[in-house]
Amino acid sequence: AAHTPHMDRIARDGRCGLLHTISDTTLPPGSETANLSVLGYDPHKVLQGRGVLEAAAMGVDIAPDQIGMRCNLICIEHGRIKNHSAGHISTGEADELIQSLDHAFGSADLKFHTGVSYRHLIVARGMSPELDCQQPHDHPGQEVAGLMIKPLRNAADPATAQQAADQLNALIKHSWHLLETHPVNRSRIARGLDPANSIWPWSPGHRPAMWTFKD
């Protein structure tokens, strides 16, 4: 019933069909790959994970010696991931938690940045991105102990990658103690809501070398 002349013209003069937005199994099968492909970029050349793309969207600059990582606020219950979004926590509540995390664990070499709802950012200097990180939304109900960060099997510098994995795993465990008793989470529990009782870093990468979409 809608009057859609421009969409009709695209359908009439363009081509319609199925499109492989992720070309092969060497690329991660996620929106970070597919969206780059749809916009005309070659993911093989520019893909550096979700963290750096979200950093750009947030206006957070990443220096050449830094990496960006997604940092979810998640809910863990009985040692398992209950959900990847801490019950879709509000941005206001999340900002209080992220500010507390940055105050406790941030430094000149590691900084937490508030994003939206459960989706936040870690920017770290001198840390290897050659990490095998599990996407929390893919593992509901699974034990956290088996999902901790590991070095990539084919890491060019295994020792540096192991050091980064150890540092981030320690950061995850430190977050449990801070978040467990945080007033925001106490309030959420009192209201019958899931607490954001853990951080979950994933999808690390360096700043990509990309043409602007305008160019």
Side-chain angles (χ1 to χ4, degrees):
H3 180 60
T4 56
H6 303 299
M7 293 169 66
D8 295 343
R9 182 186 170 216
I10 290 172
R12 181 178 63 249
D13 298 337
R15 288 187 293 170
C16 298
L18 297 176
L19 172 69
H20 285 287
T21 56
I22 302 173
S23 60
D24 60 60
T25 56
T26 65
L27 295 168
S31 59
E32 69 271 39
T33 308
N35 288 338
L36 287 170
S37 177
V38 167
L39 291 173
Y41 294 104
D42 182 350
H44 289 95
K45 295 180 179 179
V46 302
L47 181 65
Q48 287 285 337
R50 294 192 194 193
V52 292
L53 295 176
E54 296 203 19
M58 293 163 60
V60 176
D61 188 49
I62 296 181
D65 63 341
Q66 294 177 319
I67 65 169
M69 300 186 72
R70 265 286 293 274
C71 180
N72 278 38
L73 289 173
I74 70 170
C75 179
I76 295 175
E77 188 173 73
H78 306 307
R80 298 174 182 270
I81 294 181
K82 183 178 183 182
N83 63 64
H84 70 282
S85 64
H88 289 278
I89 187 169
S90 72
T91 300
E93 291 173 306
D95 182 53
E96 289 189 50
L97 297 177
I98 292 297
Q99 295 300 325
S100 294
L101 288 162
D102 191 60
H103 178 75
F105 309 124
S107 68
D109 293 327
L110 190 143
K111 177 75 176 173
F112 290 83
H113 296 271
T114 302
V116 176
S117 183
Y118 61 91
R119 301 179 292 270
H120 308 284
L121 179 70
I122 289 175
V123 176
R125 176 171 283 104
M127 188 179 289
S128 170
E130 295 188 302
L131 301 171
D132 181 9
C133 304
Q134 303 303 312
Q135 302 182 143
H137 52 270
D138 285 342
H139 301 281
Q142 294 189 23
E143 291 187 0
V144 170
L147 300 172
M148 301 301 280
I149 299 171
K150 304 177 181 66
L152 287 176
R153 291 183 180 179
N154 60 346
D157 187 344
T160 304
Q162 183 65 63
Q163 184 180 23
D166 292 343
Q167 183 178 350
L168 290 168
N169 286 331
L171 193 61
I172 292 171
K173 293 177 181 178
H174 289 322
S175 78
W176 297 345
H177 302 292
L178 183 148
L179 295 174
E180 181 181 12
T181 58
H182 196 284
V184 166
N185 280 326
R186 286 181 173 176
S187 174
R188 288 183 64 80
I189 292 170
R191 289 178 284 141
L193 302 174
D194 287 337
N197 56 14
S198 179
I199 61 168
W200 198 262
W202 60 287
S203 199
H206 288 295
R207 178 174 177 158
M210 297 170 64
W211 292 86
T212 65
F213 190 58
K214 179 181 177 181
D215 290 337

